[in-house]
Each structure stands twice: as C-alpha cells, then as structure tokens.
Amino acid sequence: MMGTQIRPAGPCDEERIRRFLVGLSLHTQTLRFFSGIPSPRAGLIRTLLAIDGQRDAIVAERDGEIIGHAMSYRGGATDVEIAIVVTDDWQGRGLGRRLIGVLLGRAAGRGATTVGMDVLGDNRRVLRIIRRMWPDATMKVSSGSVEVTAMIQSAVVFAEQGSGGPPLTL
C-alpha cells in the first residue's frame, strides 16, 4: 500500500475517474453499479465526485491514477449510505477496507452514527467483509440485493486496527 494516497475527490478528477470506470472489468462494474457502464456519462462522473452538505467522495490514488473510489450520501433509513469500488488489480489487498474507514470516519465527524448500503447478492467478497466489520449488521435480501444497516463506530475501529498505521483520517 506504500505510495497509495486517499484524499477527497474533486472536479479536477473528472478525466481520471472516467479512465478508472472504463478500466474496471464488466464484472466489477456490475457488482458496484448493478450494470455495466462501458461509456460513463458526464452526469455519473459529476455525481461520483460531488462533495456538498449531502454527499462526500474520496479516491485512492497511486502514481497519479485513481485505483479506488468511495462515496456517501445522507438520507434513507440510515444517516449515510455508502458505495465503494476498487480497480480489479487492487482488489483483495485491503484498499476497500481503508476507503470504508476513511469515508466513515469523515461521516462520523459530521455526526453520522448509522450506515447503510446495497450489495448485489452475488458479491460474496463484500458480504464477507461486511460480516467481519459489522458482526451485528442487519441484512435484508430484496430483489437480488442485500440491504445492510450497521453502526459506523465498529467499522471505523475495525479499519483502523487492521491498517497497521495511524488512524485513518483526512
């Protein structure tokens, strides 16, 4: 993970996030967006990079290229809903867990205590991560996806303990 930076996303990332999305395998695109996105539209790019009172977005970057993206937004049945995706080459290395820790640390800093997410039922790897990070999470299967509700604090502590470094903050 040396040389990998996690930072807030911004409008200057538009072209890099487009390359990142196009570089994801169809399988990874489907697990994150529930469909393939061979040609990401400008509206999607802007949404993925938006940071305002309702939304937050961070990216993991290495050698000037985005290798991971995480976003949250307020609303729904929980304080924040989150979505994370890591490029195929970086999956299974703990980057997703680091992104979750940073994103939820930022949300907790703004007062959020609960988190929700929709995970495609076939996304076994992410469901295993969720079970480890949130053993008390509520999971409800609905139309092929799993609606997850959990407390933020346990995930932030889990991510920080597993990082081997200082607490994950920006």
Side-chain angles (χ1 to χ4, degrees):
M1 286 292 186
M2 294 296 285
T4 302
Q5 175 189 11
I6 296 177
R7 62 171 177 77
C12 64
D13 291 316
E14 282 188 21
E15 187 52 39
R16 283 186 287 203
I17 202 80
R18 182 181 311 283
R19 283 194 308 267
F20 167 73
L21 293 172
V22 170
L24 298 173
S25 68
L26 177 60
H27 179 71
T28 295
Q29 288 178 357
T30 302
L31 291 177
R32 165 57 181 88
F33 298 99
F34 292 30
S35 71
I37 49 166
S39 180
R41 298 182 190 264
L44 173 63
I45 301 293
R46 282 191 302 275
T47 298
L48 292 175
L49 299 175
I51 298 177
D52 57 31
Q54 299 297 311
R55 299 174 287 193
D56 193 13
I58 59 174
V59 294
E61 184 179 62
R62 184 174 179 97
D63 299 327
E65 291 299 318
I66 294 174
I67 59 172
H69 175 271
M71 64 186 293
S72 68
Y73 58 93
R74 291 194 168 276
T78 58
D79 293 332
V80 292
E81 299 279 331
I82 64 169
I84 293 98
V85 63
V86 172
T87 190
D88 295 72
D89 290 344
W90 280 85
Q91 291 176 15
R93 298 184 187 194
L95 183 58
R97 186 175 68 203
R98 285 186 59 207
L99 284 165
I100 291 169
V102 172
L103 187 67
L104 293 182
R106 290 167 58 96
R110 290 187 305 276
T113 60
T114 58
V115 60
M117 65 202 86
D118 289 327
V119 180
L120 198 60
D122 291 341
N123 199 341
R124 304 274 186 236
R125 177 183 281 173
V126 169
L127 291 172
R128 279 192 304 273
I129 291 169
I130 290 168
R131 284 189 192 98
R132 282 196 310 268
M133 291 181 79
W134 290 286
D136 298 329
T138 301
M139 295 188 186
K140 185 173 98 179
V141 177
S142 174
S143 302
S145 70
V146 180
E147 297 173 11
V148 179
T149 303
M151 298 300 293
I152 287 176
Q153 190 57 39
S154 60
V156 173
V157 169
F158 179 90
E160 288 177 356
Q161 289 172 347
S163 72
L168 299 171
T169 56
L170 288 177

